[in-house]
């Protein structure tokens, strides 16, 4: 670890928690700590499923239940079947009471006031600098929250990513995309030891995927690299590519290769910047116009 970078992050965390009032027992003078206020905000006027709240906030289920009980006891929240907010009646959901909606509106107003209290002492130029720096920090923090792990290709989350991948390329390819006309990728090719399917999640929601096939007596082959629009520009595609390369290298493969369509210009630029060089076609993929290879460090 770089000790100077670690120290800088810790200083930043201390400054932010103090400046936004995270250390106060009564956040924004509303008689409750930040965790309760944030949960109330996330429930919002439209309500939210409890499982979604837990994933979004990264909270332990027991802690979340205690917070919800406290808000219920204060008459701000009700917890019951999700059909009360238009969802599945078998799922639990939290909704704001009339008093909860009034408190939510007050929190909204006071949050604006808090934001202005941070900006007000600064010149206009410094306000713009601070807002731009905050936006960059937010993007980098979100990127650091993305988790990439192996996932069975039969998992519903993996299936959803592959469907999203197919929709994206159908929209972008000149003649659309028909899986029946493409070289097949079978589930058994993407499970160890034959290969792996990697899934990227943000707050437990799938946002990217990628796979690598470990061919016998041939370079490994990268397939199905996809990134959701919601996290594009955060470097997730490059991280996914690196993880796939690392997986192959750790298992003894000296090179990886892939094919891609000419319309996927961002992907082509990423491959080239990551050290891939163009090679002669190594397969008969109908939708491919470019074939790339990269030698891996042992």
């Amino acid at each position: 670890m770089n000790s100077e970078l670690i120290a800088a992050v810790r200083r930043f965390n201390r400054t932010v928690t103090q400046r936004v009032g995270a250390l106060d027992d009564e956040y924004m003078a509303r008689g409750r700590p930040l965790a309760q206020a944030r949960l109330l905000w996330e429930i919002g006027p439209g309500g939210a499923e409890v499982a979604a709240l837990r994933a979004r906030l990264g909270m332990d289920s027991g802690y979340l239940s205690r917070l919800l009980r406290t808000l219920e006891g204060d008459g701000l929240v009700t917890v019951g079947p999700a059909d009360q907010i238009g969802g599945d009646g078998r799922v639990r959901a939290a909704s704001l009471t009339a008093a909860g909606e009034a408190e939510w509106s007050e929190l909204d107003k006071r949050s604006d006031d808090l934001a202005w209290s941070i900006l007000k002492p600064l010149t206009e130029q410094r306000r713009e600098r601070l807002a731009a720096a905050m936006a960059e920090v937010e993007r980098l923090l979100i990127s650091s929250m993305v988790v990439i792990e192996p996932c069975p290709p039969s998992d519903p989350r993996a299936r959803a990513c592959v469907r999203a991948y197919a929709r994206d390329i159908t929209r972008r390819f000149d003649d659309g995309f028909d899986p029946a006309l493409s070289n097949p990728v079978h589930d058994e090719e993407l499970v160890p030891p034959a290969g792996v399917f990697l899934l990227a999640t943000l707050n437990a929601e799938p946002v990217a995927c990628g796979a690598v096939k470990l061919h016998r007596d041939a370079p490994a082959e990268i397939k199905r690299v996809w990134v959701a629009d919601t996290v594009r520009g955060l470097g997730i595609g490059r991280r996914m590519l690196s993880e796939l390369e690392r997986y192959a290298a750790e298992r003894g493969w000296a090179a990886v290769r892939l094919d891609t369509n000419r319309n996927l210009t961002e992907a082509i630029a990423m491959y080239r910047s990551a050290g891939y060089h163009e090679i002669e076609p190594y397969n008969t993929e109908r939708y491919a116009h470019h074939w790339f290879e990269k030698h891996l460090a042992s």
Side-chain angles (χ1 to χ4, degrees), residues 18-38:
Q18 180 179 358
R19 187 62 183 88
V20 302
L23 304 178
D24 298 342
D25 290 338
E26 298 185 0
Y27 183 63
M28 289 195 288
R30 295 306 295 165
R32 59 185 54 83
L34 174 59
Q36 291 180 24
R38 176 63 189 277

Side-chain angles (χ1 to χ4, degrees), residues 19 22 33 50 57-58 60 69 77 85 93 99 106 108 138 167 173 191 230 297:
R19 187 62 183 88
V50 173
L57 297 173
D60 171 81
R69 284 197 298 269
V77 167
I85 61 170
E106 183 62 25
D108 187 36
E138 181 186 18
R167 287 194 298 270
F173 287 6
V191 295
T230 54

Side-chain angles (χ1 to χ4, degrees), residues 53 77 84 117 121 134 163 269:
L53 289 169
V77 167
Q84 64 186 354
S117 75
M134 285 177 165
R163 288 194 297 271

Side-chain angles (χ1 to χ4, degrees), residues 12 15 38 42 46 55 82 85 101 121 140 167 189 258 290:
F12 177 83
T15 301
R38 176 63 189 277
E42 290 293 341
I85 61 170
E101 291 193 12
L140 293 172
R167 287 194 298 270
E189 297 177 294
L258 55 87
H290 300 276

Side-chain angles (χ1 to χ4, degrees), residues 35-99:
Q36 291 180 24
R38 176 63 189 277
L39 178 57
L40 187 74
W41 173 263
E42 290 293 341
I43 294 170
E49 293 182 359
V50 173
L53 289 169
R54 184 169 61 246
R56 194 184 313 157
L57 297 173
M59 283 184 173
D60 171 81
S61 58
Y63 182 44
L64 177 61
S65 295
R66 291 193 296 275
L67 291 177
L68 286 172
R69 284 197 298 269
T70 299
L71 294 175
E72 280 188 291
D74 291 343
L76 302 175
V77 167
T78 61
V79 179
D83 53 10
Q84 64 186 354
I85 61 170
D88 188 339
R90 296 168 296 179
V91 176
R92 293 173 68 240
S95 301
L96 299 183
T97 63

